[in-house]
Amino acid sequence: MVVNTTTSVSQLLPLQPSDKEIAGTLLGLDDFVNMVLDDVTEFEITPEGRRITKFDMILLNRNNTTMLVPGGEGPKV
C-alpha cells in the first residue's frame, strides 16, 4: 500500500515578523506564559489596508507571542 500525502502548511516561524499586533489588559497567565487578555484590540496590516478588530477577552497562546511590551498601547490609529 502506497500512501501519498502532500501537505502544504503555512507556518509562522518564531521571531519571523508578522503584520499583527495585539493590545489589551493582562488578566492572568500560567506557568507556560499563556495569557488571558481583557479589552483587546488587534491591529493587522492586510493587502487591503489596516484592519482593527476588538474583542472583550481572549486566551493568547504563548506560541503566538514574540514580544511583550508592558504599558504598550499598540500602533497609532
Coordinates of all heavy atoms in Angstrom, one line a residue:
M1 N 0.8 -1.2 0.0 CA 0.0 0.0 0.0 C 0.9 1.2 0.0 O 1.8 1.4 0.8 CB -0.9 0.0 1.2 CG -1.7 1.2 1.3 SD -2.5 1.5 2.9 CE -4.0 0.7 2.8
V2 N 0.6 2.1 -0.9 CA 1.4 3.4 -1.0 C 0.5 4.5 -0.7 O -0.6 4.6 -1.3 CB 2.0 3.6 -2.4 CG1 2.7 4.9 -2.5 CG2 2.9 2.4 -2.8
V3 N 0.9 5.3 0.3 CA 0.1 6.5 0.6 C 0.8 7.7 0.3 O 2.0 7.9 0.7 CB -0.3 6.4 2.2 CG1 -1.0 7.7 2.5 CG2 -1.0 5.2 2.5
N4 N 0.3 8.5 -0.5 CA 0.9 9.8 -1.0 C 0.2 10.9 -0.3 O -0.9 11.3 -0.6 CB 0.8 9.9 -2.5 CG 1.6 11.1 -3.0 OD1 2.2 11.8 -2.2 ND2 1.5 11.3 -4.3
T5 N 0.9 11.5 0.7 CA 0.3 12.6 1.4 C 1.2 13.9 1.2 O 2.4 13.8 1.6 CB 0.1 12.4 2.9 OG1 1.4 12.1 3.5 CG2 -0.8 11.2 3.1
T6 N 0.6 14.9 0.6 CA 1.3 16.1 0.4 C 0.6 17.2 1.2 O -0.6 17.4 0.9 CB 1.5 16.5 -1.0 OG1 2.1 15.4 -1.7 CG2 2.3 17.7 -1.2
T7 N 1.2 17.8 2.1 CA 0.5 18.8 2.9 C 1.2 20.1 2.7 O 2.4 20.2 2.9 CB 0.5 18.4 4.4 OG1 0.0 17.1 4.6 CG2 -0.2 19.4 5.2
S8 N 0.5 21.1 2.4 CA 1.0 22.5 2.2 C 0.5 23.3 3.4 O -0.6 23.7 3.5 CB 0.6 23.1 0.9 OG 1.0 24.4 0.9
V9 N 1.4 23.5 4.4 CA 1.0 24.2 5.6 C 1.8 25.5 5.7 O 3.0 25.6 5.6 CB 1.3 23.4 6.8 CG1 1.0 24.1 8.1 CG2 0.6 22.1 6.8
S10 N 1.1 26.6 5.8 CA 1.7 27.9 6.1 C 2.0 28.0 7.5 O 1.1 27.8 8.4 CB 0.7 29.0 5.6 OG 1.3 30.3 6.0
Q11 N 3.3 28.2 7.8 CA 3.7 28.2 9.2 C 4.5 29.5 9.5 O 5.4 29.9 8.7 CB 4.6 27.0 9.5 CG 5.0 26.9 10.9 CD 5.9 25.6 11.0 OE1 6.4 25.1 10.1 NE2 6.0 25.1 12.2
L12 N 4.2 30.2 10.6 CA 4.9 31.3 11.1 C 6.0 30.9 12.0 O 5.7 30.3 13.1 CB 3.9 32.3 11.8 CG 4.5 33.7 12.1 CD1 4.8 34.4 10.9 CD2 3.4 34.5 12.9
L13 N 7.2 31.1 11.7 CA 8.3 30.6 12.5 C 8.6 31.6 13.6 O 8.3 32.8 13.5 CB 9.6 30.5 11.6 CG 9.4 29.5 10.5 CD1 10.7 29.5 9.6 CD2 9.2 28.1 11.0
P14 N 9.2 31.2 14.7 CA 9.5 32.1 15.8 C 10.4 33.2 15.3 O 11.3 33.0 14.5 CB 10.2 31.2 16.8 CG 9.8 29.8 16.5 CD 9.5 29.8 15.0
L15 N 10.1 34.4 15.8 CA 10.9 35.6 15.5 C 10.7 36.1 14.1 O 11.4 37.0 13.7 CB 12.3 35.5 15.9 CG 12.6 35.2 17.4 CD1 14.1 35.1 17.6 CD2 12.0 36.3 18.3
Q16 N 9.9 35.4 13.3 CA 9.6 35.9 12.0 C 8.6 37.1 12.1 O 7.6 37.0 12.8 CB 9.0 34.8 11.2 CG 8.6 35.2 9.7 CD 8.1 34.0 9.0 OE1 8.0 32.9 9.5 NE2 7.6 34.2 7.8
P17 N 8.9 38.2 11.5 CA 8.0 39.3 11.7 C 6.6 39.1 11.1 O 6.5 38.3 10.1 CB 8.7 40.5 10.9 CG 9.7 39.8 10.0 CD 10.0 38.5 10.6
S18 N 5.6 39.6 11.7 CA 4.3 39.5 11.2 C 3.6 40.9 11.2 O 4.2 41.8 11.8 CB 3.4 38.5 12.1 OG 2.7 39.2 13.1
D19 N 2.5 41.0 10.6 CA 1.8 42.3 10.4 C 0.6 42.3 11.4 O -0.4 42.9 11.1 CB 1.4 42.5 9.0 CG 2.5 42.6 8.1 OD1 3.6 43.1 8.5 OD2 2.4 42.2 6.9
K20 N 0.8 41.7 12.6 CA -0.3 41.7 13.6 C 0.2 42.1 14.9 O 1.3 41.6 15.4 CB -0.9 40.3 13.6 CG -2.1 40.2 14.5 CD -2.7 38.8 14.5 CE -3.3 38.5 13.2 NZ -4.0 37.2 13.3
E21 N -0.5 43.0 15.6 CA -0.2 43.4 17.0 C -1.4 43.3 17.8 O -2.5 43.6 17.3 CB 0.4 44.8 17.1 CG 1.8 44.9 16.5 CD 2.3 46.3 16.7 OE1 2.0 47.0 17.7 OE2 3.1 46.7 15.8
I22 N -1.3 42.9 19.1 CA -2.4 42.8 20.0 C -2.2 43.6 21.2 O -1.1 43.5 21.8 CB -2.7 41.3 20.4 CG1 -3.1 40.5 19.1 CG2 -3.8 41.2 21.4 CD1 -3.2 39.1 19.4
A23 N -3.1 44.5 21.6 CA -3.0 45.3 22.8 C -4.2 45.0 23.7 O -5.3 44.9 23.2 CB -3.0 46.8 22.4
G24 N -3.9 44.8 25.0 CA -5.0 44.6 25.9 C -4.5 44.6 27.3 O -3.3 44.9 27.6
T25 N -5.4 44.3 28.2 CA -5.1 44.3 29.7 C -4.9 42.9 30.1 O -5.8 42.0 30.0 CB -6.2 44.9 30.5 OG1 -6.5 46.3 30.0 CG2 -5.9 45.0 32.0
L26 N -3.7 42.6 30.7 CA -3.3 41.3 31.1 C -4.1 40.9 32.4 O -4.0 41.6 33.4 CB -1.8 41.2 31.4 CG -1.3 39.8 31.9 CD1 -1.5 38.8 30.8 CD2 0.1 40.0 32.3
L27 N -5.0 39.9 32.3 CA -5.7 39.4 33.5 C -5.0 38.3 34.2 O -5.1 38.2 35.4 CB -7.1 39.0 33.1 CG -8.1 40.0 32.5 CD1 -9.4 39.4 32.2 CD2 -8.3 41.1 33.5
G28 N -4.3 37.5 33.5 CA -3.6 36.4 34.1 C -2.8 35.6 33.1 O -2.9 35.8 31.9
L29 N -1.9 34.8 33.7 CA -1.1 33.9 32.8 C -0.7 32.6 33.6 O -0.8 32.6 34.8 CB 0.2 34.6 32.3 CG 1.1 35.2 33.4 CD1 2.4 34.3 33.4 CD2 1.5 36.6 33.0
D30 N -0.4 31.6 32.9 CA 0.0 30.3 33.6 C 1.5 30.1 33.5 O 2.3 31.0 33.1 CB -0.8 29.2 33.0 CG -0.4 28.9 31.5 OD1 0.5 29.5 31.0 OD2 -1.2 28.1 30.9
D31 N 1.9 28.9 34.0 CA 3.4 28.6 34.0 C 4.0 28.6 32.6 O 5.2 28.7 32.5 CB 3.6 27.3 34.7 CG 3.3 27.3 36.2 OD1 3.2 28.4 36.7 OD2 3.0 26.2 36.7
F32 N 3.2 28.4 31.6 CA 3.7 28.4 30.2 C 3.6 29.7 29.5 O 3.9 29.8 28.3 CB 2.9 27.3 29.4 CG 3.0 25.9 30.0 CD1 2.0 25.4 30.7 CD2 4.2 25.2 29.9 CE1 2.0 24.2 31.3 CE2 4.2 23.9 30.5 CZ 3.2 23.4 31.2
V33 N 3.2 30.7 30.2 CA 3.0 32.1 29.7 C 1.9 32.2 28.7 O 1.9 33.1 27.8 CB 4.3 32.7 29.2 CG1 4.2 34.2 29.0 CG2 5.5 32.4 30.1
N34 N 0.9 31.3 28.7 CA -0.3 31.5 28.0 C -1.1 32.6 28.8 O -1.1 32.7 30.0 CB -1.2 30.3 28.0 CG -0.5 29.1 27.3 OD1 0.0 29.3 26.2 ND2 -0.5 28.0 27.9
M35 N -1.7 33.6 28.1 CA -2.2 34.8 28.7 C -3.7 35.0 28.4 O -4.2 34.7 27.4 CB -1.5 36.0 28.2 CG 0.0 36.1 28.6 SD 0.9 37.4 27.7 CE 1.3 36.5 26.2
V36 N -4.4 35.5 29.4 CA -5.8 35.9 29.3 C -5.7 37.4 29.3 O -5.2 38.1 30.2 CB -6.7 35.4 30.5 CG1 -8.1 36.0 30.3 CG2 -6.7 33.9 30.5
L37 N -6.2 38.0 28.2 CA -6.2 39.5 28.0 C -7.7 40.0 27.9 O -8.6 39.3 27.3 CB -5.5 39.8 26.7 CG -4.1 39.4 26.6 CD1 -3.5 39.8 25.2 CD2 -3.2 40.1 27.6
D38 N -7.9 41.1 28.5 CA -9.2 41.8 28.5 C -9.2 43.0 27.7 O -8.1 43.6 27.5 CB -9.6 42.1 30.0 CG -11.0 42.6 30.2 OD1 -11.9 42.1 29.4 OD2 -11.2 43.4 31.1
D39 N -10.3 43.5 27.2 CA -10.4 44.7 26.4 C -9.3 44.8 25.3 O -8.5 45.6 25.3 CB -10.3 45.9 27.3 CG -10.7 47.2 26.6 OD1 -11.5 47.1 25.7 OD2 -10.2 48.3 27.0
V40 N -9.4 43.8 24.4 CA -8.3 43.6 23.4 C -8.6 44.3 22.1 O -9.7 44.3 21.6 CB -8.2 42.1 23.2 CG1 -7.1 41.8 22.1 CG2 -7.9 41.3 24.5
T41 N -7.5 44.8 21.5 CA -7.6 45.4 20.2 C -6.5 44.7 19.3 O -5.4 44.7 19.7 CB -7.3 46.9 20.2 OG1 -8.3 47.5 21.1 CG2 -7.5 47.5 18.8
E42 N -6.9 44.2 18.2 CA -6.0 43.5 17.3 C -5.8 44.4 16.1 O -6.7 44.8 15.4 CB -6.5 42.2 16.8 CG -5.7 41.4 15.8 CD -6.3 40.2 15.3 OE1 -7.3 40.3 14.6 OE2 -5.8 39.1 15.7
F43 N -4.5 44.8 15.8 CA -4.1 45.6 14.7 C -3.5 44.7 13.7 O -2.5 44.0 14.0 CB -3.1 46.7 15.1 CG -3.7 47.6 16.2 CD1 -3.4 47.3 17.5 CD2 -4.4 48.7 15.9 CE1 -3.9 48.1 18.5 CE2 -4.9 49.5 16.9 CZ -4.6 49.2 18.2
E44 N -4.0 44.7 12.4 CA -3.4 43.8 11.4 C -3.3 44.6 10.1 O -4.2 45.3 9.7 CB -4.3 42.6 11.2 CG -3.8 41.6 10.2 CD -4.6 40.3 10.2 OE1 -5.7 40.3 10.7 OE2 -4.1 39.3 9.6
I45 N -2.1 44.4 9.4 CA -1.9 45.0 8.1 C -2.2 43.9 7.1 O -1.6 42.9 7.1 CB -0.5 45.5 8.0 CG1 -0.1 46.5 9.1 CG2 -0.2 46.1 6.6 CD1 -1.0 47.8 9.1
T46 N -3.1 44.2 6.2 CA -3.5 43.3 5.2 C -3.3 43.9 3.8 O -3.0 45.1 3.7 CB -5.0 42.9 5.3 OG1 -5.8 44.0 5.0 CG2 -5.3 42.3 6.6
P47 N -3.3 43.2 2.7 CA -3.1 43.8 1.4 C -4.2 44.8 1.1 O -3.9 45.7 0.3 CB -3.2 42.6 0.5 CG -2.9 41.4 1.3 CD -3.3 41.7 2.7
E48 N -5.3 44.7 1.8 CA -6.4 45.7 1.5 C -6.3 46.9 2.4 O -7.0 47.9 2.2 CB -7.8 45.0 1.8 CG -8.2 43.9 0.9 CD -7.5 42.6 1.3 OE1 -7.3 42.4 2.5 OE2 -7.2 41.8 0.4
G49 N -5.3 46.9 3.4 CA -5.1 48.0 4.3 C -5.1 47.6 5.7 O -5.0 46.4 6.0
R50 N -5.2 48.5 6.6 CA -5.2 48.2 8.1 C -6.5 47.8 8.5 O -7.6 48.4 8.2 CB -4.8 49.5 8.9 CG -4.8 49.2 10.4 CD -4.3 50.4 11.1 NE -2.9 50.5 10.9 CZ -2.1 51.4 11.6 NH1 -2.6 52.3 12.3 NH2 -0.8 51.4 11.4
R51 N -6.5 46.7 9.3 CA -7.8 46.1 9.9 C -7.6 46.2 11.4 O -6.7 45.7 12.0 CB -8.0 44.7 9.4 CG -9.3 44.1 10.0 CD -9.7 42.8 9.4 NE -8.6 41.9 9.3 CZ -8.6 40.8 8.5 NH1 -9.6 40.6 7.8 NH2 -7.6 40.0 8.4
I52 N -8.7 46.7 12.1 CA -8.7 46.8 13.5 C -9.9 46.0 14.0 O -11.0 46.2 13.6 CB -8.8 48.2 14.0 CG1 -7.5 49.0 13.6 CG2 -8.9 48.3 15.6 CD1 -7.6 50.5 13.9
T53 N -9.6 45.0 14.9 CA -10.7 44.2 15.5 C -10.7 44.3 17.0 O -9.6 44.2 17.6 CB -10.5 42.7 15.1 OG1 -10.3 42.6 13.6 CG2 -11.6 41.8 15.4
K54 N -11.8 44.4 17.6 CA -12.0 44.5 19.1 C -12.5 43.2 19.6 O -13.4 42.6 19.0 CB -12.9 45.7 19.4 CG -12.4 47.0 18.9 CD -11.8 47.8 20.0 CE -11.5 49.2 19.5 NZ -10.7 49.9 20.3
F55 N -12.0 42.8 20.8 CA -12.5 41.6 21.5 C -12.7 42.0 22.9 O -11.9 42.7 23.5 CB -11.5 40.4 21.4 CG -11.2 40.0 20.0 CD1 -10.0 40.4 19.4 CD2 -12.0 39.1 19.4 CE1 -9.7 40.0 18.1 CE2 -11.7 38.6 18.1 CZ -10.6 39.1 17.4
D56 N -13.7 41.4 23.6 CA -13.9 41.6 25.0 C -12.8 40.9 25.8 O -12.2 41.5 26.7 CB -15.2 41.0 25.5 CG -16.4 41.8 24.9 OD1 -16.2 43.0 24.7 OD2 -17.5 41.3 24.8
M57 N -12.5 39.6 25.4 CA -11.5 38.8 26.1 C -10.9 37.7 25.2 O -11.7 37.2 24.4 CB -12.1 38.2 27.4 CG -11.2 37.4 28.3 SD -12.0 36.7 29.7 CE -12.5 38.2 30.6
I58 N -9.6 37.4 25.3 CA -9.0 36.4 24.5 C -8.1 35.5 25.4 O -7.6 36.0 26.4 CB -8.3 36.9 23.3 CG1 -7.1 37.7 23.7 CG2 -9.2 37.6 22.3 CD1 -6.1 38.0 22.5
L59 N -7.8 34.3 25.0 CA -6.8 33.5 25.5 C -5.7 33.5 24.4 O -5.9 33.0 23.3 CB -7.2 32.1 25.8 CG -6.2 31.1 26.2 CD1 -5.5 31.5 27.5 CD2 -6.8 29.7 26.3
L60 N -4.5 34.0 24.8 CA -3.4 34.1 23.8 C -2.4 33.0 24.1 O -1.8 33.0 25.2 CB -2.8 35.5 23.9 CG -1.6 35.8 22.9 CD1 -2.1 35.7 21.4 CD2 -1.1 37.1 23.2
N61 N -2.2 32.1 23.2 CA -1.2 31.0 23.4 C 0.2 31.6 23.2 O 0.5 32.4 22.4 CB -1.5 30.0 22.3 CG -0.6 28.8 22.4 OD1 0.6 28.9 22.3 ND2 -1.2 27.6 22.6
R62 N 1.1 31.1 24.1 CA 2.4 31.7 24.1 C 3.2 31.4 22.8 O 4.1 32.1 22.5 CB 3.2 31.2 25.3 CG 3.7 29.8 25.1 CD 5.1 29.6 25.7 NE 5.5 28.2 25.4 CZ 6.3 27.6 26.2 NH1 6.8 28.1 27.3 NH2 6.7 26.4 25.8
N63 N 2.8 30.4 22.1 CA 3.5 30.1 20.8 C 3.2 31.2 19.8 O 3.9 31.3 18.8 CB 3.0 28.7 20.3 CG 3.5 27.6 21.1 OD1 4.5 27.7 21.9 ND2 2.8 26.5 21.1
N64 N 2.2 32.0 20.0 CA 1.9 33.1 19.1 C 2.4 34.4 19.6 O 2.0 35.5 19.1 CB 0.3 33.2 18.9 CG -0.2 31.9 18.3 OD1 0.4 31.3 17.5 ND2 -1.4 31.5 18.8
T65 N 3.3 34.4 20.6 CA 3.8 35.6 21.2 C 5.2 35.8 20.9 O 6.0 34.9 21.2 CB 3.5 35.7 22.7 OG1 2.2 35.4 23.0 CG2 3.9 37.0 23.3
T66 N 5.6 36.9 20.3 CA 7.0 37.2 20.0 C 7.6 38.1 21.0 O 8.7 38.0 21.5 CB 7.2 37.7 18.6 OG1 6.6 36.8 17.7 CG2 8.7 38.0 18.3
M67 N 6.8 39.2 21.4 CA 7.4 40.2 22.3 C 6.2 40.7 23.2 O 5.1 40.9 22.7 CB 7.9 41.3 21.4 CG 8.5 42.5 22.2 SD 9.0 43.9 21.2 CE 9.8 43.1 19.8
L68 N 6.6 41.0 24.4 CA 5.6 41.7 25.3 C 6.2 43.1 25.6 O 7.3 43.3 25.9 CB 5.5 40.9 26.6 CG 4.9 39.5 26.6 CD1 5.0 38.9 27.9 CD2 3.5 39.6 26.1
V69 N 5.3 44.1 25.6 CA 5.7 45.5 25.9 C 4.8 46.0 27.0 O 3.6 46.4 26.7 CB 5.6 46.4 24.7 CG1 6.0 47.8 25.0 CG2 6.4 45.8 23.5
P70 N 5.2 45.9 28.3 CA 4.4 46.4 29.3 C 4.0 47.9 29.1 O 4.9 48.7 28.8 CB 5.2 46.3 30.6 CG 6.3 45.2 30.2 CD 6.5 45.4 28.7
G71 N 2.8 48.2 29.3 CA 2.3 49.6 29.1 C 2.2 50.0 27.6 O 1.8 51.1 27.3
G72 N 2.4 49.1 26.7 CA 2.3 49.4 25.3 C 0.8 49.5 24.9 O -0.1 48.9 25.5
E73 N 0.5 50.4 24.0 CA -0.9 50.6 23.6 C -1.1 50.2 22.1 O -2.2 50.5 21.6 CB -1.2 52.1 23.7 CG -1.1 52.6 25.2 CD -1.4 54.0 25.4 OE1 -1.8 54.7 24.4 OE2 -1.2 54.5 26.5
G74 N -0.2 49.6 21.5 CA -0.4 49.2 20.1 C 0.0 50.4 19.2 O 0.3 51.5 19.6
P75 N -0.1 50.2 17.9 CA 0.3 51.2 16.9 C -0.8 52.4 16.9 O -1.9 52.2 17.3 CB 0.2 50.5 15.6 CG -0.6 49.3 15.8 CD -0.5 48.9 17.2
K76 N -0.3 53.5 16.5 CA -1.2 54.7 16.5 C -2.2 54.5 15.3 O -1.8 54.0 14.2 CB -0.4 56.0 16.2 CG 0.6 56.3 17.3 CD -0.1 56.5 18.6 CE 0.9 56.8 19.7 NZ 0.6 56.2 21.0
V77 N -3.5 54.8 15.6 CA -4.5 54.6 14.6 C -4.6 55.7 13.6 O -4.4 56.8 13.8 CB -5.9 54.4 15.2 CG1 -7.0 54.2 14.2 CG2 -5.8 53.2 16.2

